[in-house]
Amino acid sequence: MINIAVLGYGVVGSGVVEVIGHNHEEVSRKAGEEVRVRYILDLRDFPGDPYEDRIIHDFNTILNDPEIAIVCEVMGGTGAAYQFTRQLLEAGKSVCTSNKELVAKHGAEFLELAAARHCNYMFEASVGGGIPIIRSVNTALTAEKIESVTAILNGTTNYILTRMAGEGADYGQALKQAQELGYAERNPEADVEGYDACRKLAILSSLIKGKNVDAGQIYTEGITGITGADFEYARMEGLVIKQLAIGKMEEDGSVLAMVAPFLLSEEHPLAAVNDVFNAVLVTGNMLGDVIFYGRGAGKLPTASAVVADVIDCAKHRGKNVICIWDREAAKAADVTDTKRRFFLRAKADTRKAVEETFAGGKSITLPGVENEFGFFTRELEEKDFDAKCKSMGDAVLNRIRLL
């Protein structure tokens, strides 16, 4: 019998219990022994719940129970979740988590501690929900020198951009739809400003590099400035707008990491990833491109990934599974030194100045629109582009990078 505990009985926590209950025979067979939820830690009571008898309020009950070897931390946050995780690992208990914020901030620390205590810290569900990207990077792709990841890592922003593109909705309307459907929180800042995708990119980039990529050093830009007009110009040129998380391993050993809206060709593999789906395009030096696609969030997809980690921990009890992510900081590449093309919208009466300032680019005009125009630049360094935009004052209405 493998007894486990679940910290937090919210959306994901209840999903973990549901997955183990519904797929009990399958989970137990693959774990090698029957898997049973012994404790569910939460501040609340759940009268009438099928697992009411397993709800507890004292963390020490779990910590001091020698029969609990695996714990699912699905509380979220970096306060109690940090303290509980550290105590559990110090006690030699493996921890499986979906807590991207905690993993991004303390992943290297916890992996080091787990290795020292011959247990495991696993976090498949922290990136891409039910998409098995973490395990793939750590196992299936270990023969590769991964050169880059280009990914859609936030279902909320992808849903909003899909609605704006397909229905002509403005940002506010699309956000409201997302909130009504439960895809966006009442306070959507972490999603729409790119912070959620940034944390996930930090985790992925750290695993690929083997050194710690600090989420706080990743250039991050949200989608709140994207308008319906941007999509109209994009369609004219056979382009789509996606919020991308990009991690590139540079030749000098640095990591170029950024989260921002991008224009990409309709032929690009990520262009057709719509609604709440996520996708990760991994480029290896031998394999080339491989793409992972699926539901990046949600109760059961995320819970399924947590339970997969539980099974992995059960199969490796008393043995640490190697995961290379050192505490040493990875060198961060300067995003402003990178070269790419840009799209900008500008006031109609500044066309001549824009064409002179960004010489070598291409102007486009929307039918029936007289107060502005669109412009695609030639390839420029980010810092050069920024300087030219600043020299234009308030003439530039919006700007988006091209992939």
Side-chain angles (χ1 to χ4, degrees):
M1 175 80 74
I2 301 169
N3 288 298
I4 73 166
V6 178
L7 307 186
Y9 202 40
V11 173
V12 179
S14 61
V16 168
V17 174
E18 183 177 341
V19 169
I20 292 174
H22 191 78
N23 289 350
H24 185 257
E25 184 178 339
E26 192 76 5
V27 169
S28 298
R29 181 174 66 83
K30 292 176 178 176
E33 293 182 55
E34 182 182 357
V35 176
R36 179 179 181 272
V37 177
R38 172 173 282 191
Y39 303 118
I40 301 170
L41 180 74
D42 203 283
L43 293 173
R44 302 162 293 175
D45 291 309
F46 294 84
D49 188 275
Y51 295 89
E52 179 183 3
D53 62 326
R54 303 179 203 187
I55 303 291
I56 63 170
H57 307 302
D58 185 359
F59 168 72
N60 288 315
T61 302
I62 295 168
L63 183 65
N64 297 326
D65 188 335
E67 293 190 7
I68 297 293
I70 304 169
V71 179
C72 302
E73 184 276 298
V74 286
M75 301 166 60
T78 58
Y82 171 81
Q83 297 298 334
F84 290 170
T85 298
R86 184 163 185 87
Q87 287 178 268
L88 290 165
L89 293 173
E90 287 175 339
K93 300 179 189 292
S94 292
V95 177
C96 308
T97 186
S98 61
N99 189 341
K100 66 189 80 63
E101 185 179 5
L102 187 63
V103 177
K105 192 171 183 180
H106 298 288
E109 172 190 346
F110 288 154
L111 286 169
E112 183 181 283
L113 184 55
R117 296 296 190 273
H118 307 291
C119 57
N120 287 286
Y121 183 61
M122 294 191 174
F123 42 90
E124 181 64 67
S126 67
V127 179
I131 302 173
I133 184 61
I134 300 295
R135 190 164 279 104
S136 297
V137 168
N138 282 338
T139 57
L141 299 176
T142 49
E144 288 293 309
K145 180 180 179 182
I146 297 177
E147 298 174 340
S148 67
V149 290
T150 307
I152 294 171
L153 291 177
N154 184 271
T156 300
T157 53
N158 204 42
Y159 177 84
I160 291 170
L161 294 176
T162 300
R163 295 281 74 76
M164 291 178 72
E167 300 173 4
D170 63 27
Y171 169 78
Q173 292 171 324
L175 172 59
K176 185 179 178 182
Q177 287 180 6
Q179 290 171 324
E180 289 172 349
L181 291 169
Y183 297 148
E185 301 289 342
R186 181 175 296 178
N187 178 1
E189 182 182 21
D191 294 320
V192 300
E193 296 296 350
Y195 307 140
D196 175 79
C198 171
R199 292 166 185 147
K200 295 171 181 175
L201 179 61
I203 295 167
L204 268 183
S205 299
S206 295
L207 291 174
I208 292 168
K209 185 63 182 176
K211 297 179 182 179
N212 195 58
V213 175
D214 183 353
Q217 293 187 345
I218 294 177
Y219 176 87
T220 304
E221 187 178 308
I223 65 165
T224 55
I226 302 298
T227 69
D230 294 314
F231 284 96
E232 293 183 50
Y233 286 110
R235 275 190 290 272
M236 286 182 65
E237 297 295 305
L239 301 170
V240 299
I241 303 174
K242 295 292 182 184
Q243 173 89 333
L244 298 182
I246 299 174
K248 185 178 179 184
M249 308 301 117
E250 301 284 55
E251 291 184 4
D252 66 357
S254 63
V255 178
L256 174 67
M258 67 183 303
V259 174
F262 276 83
L263 283 160
L264 55 156
S265 165
E266 292 176 344
E267 306 302 315
H268 192 281
L270 296 179
V273 179
N274 291 318
D275 295 314
V276 295
F277 284 86
N278 284 194
V280 183
L281 176 65
V282 180
T283 302
N285 67 330
M286 297 289 111
L287 176 66
D289 291 341
V290 60
I291 193 165
F292 298 84
Y293 170 86
R295 291 191 178 276
K299 175 179 177 176
L300 295 179
T302 304
S304 177
V306 175
V307 176
D309 280 347
V310 169
I311 294 170
D312 209 1
C313 287
K315 290 158 66 174
H316 295 91
R317 278 186 293 177
K319 181 179 179 182
N320 179 254
V321 178
I322 295 174
C323 181
I324 303 173
W325 178 355
D326 297 335
R327 290 209 209 193
E328 180 186 352
K331 179 184 175 183
D334 188 347
V335 170
T336 66
D337 288 337
T338 59
K339 281 189 173 183
R340 57 172 48 91
R341 295 177 64 215
F342 298 83
F343 165 75
L344 60 87
R345 288 170 36 234
K347 296 176 181 178
D349 59 3
T350 64
R351 183 186 293 265
K352 182 177 179 182
V354 168
E355 291 177 345
E356 289 177 351
T357 301
F358 297 96
K362 170 189 173 183
S363 293
I364 62 171
T365 304
L366 288 176
V369 176
E370 298 180 354
N371 62 340
E372 67 170 62
F373 68 101
F375 190 86
F376 289 90
T377 73
R378 58 182 171 81
E379 192 174 76
L380 296 167
E381 283 190 346
E382 288 247 3
K383 58 189 174 187
D384 187 20
F385 175 76
D386 287 342
K388 290 178 184 295
C389 282
K390 286 179 182 177
S391 73
M392 298 295 299
D394 62 356
V396 176
L397 302 173
N398 199 16
R399 49 188 182 170
I400 308 174
R401 297 168 178 83
L402 273 72
L403 187 62

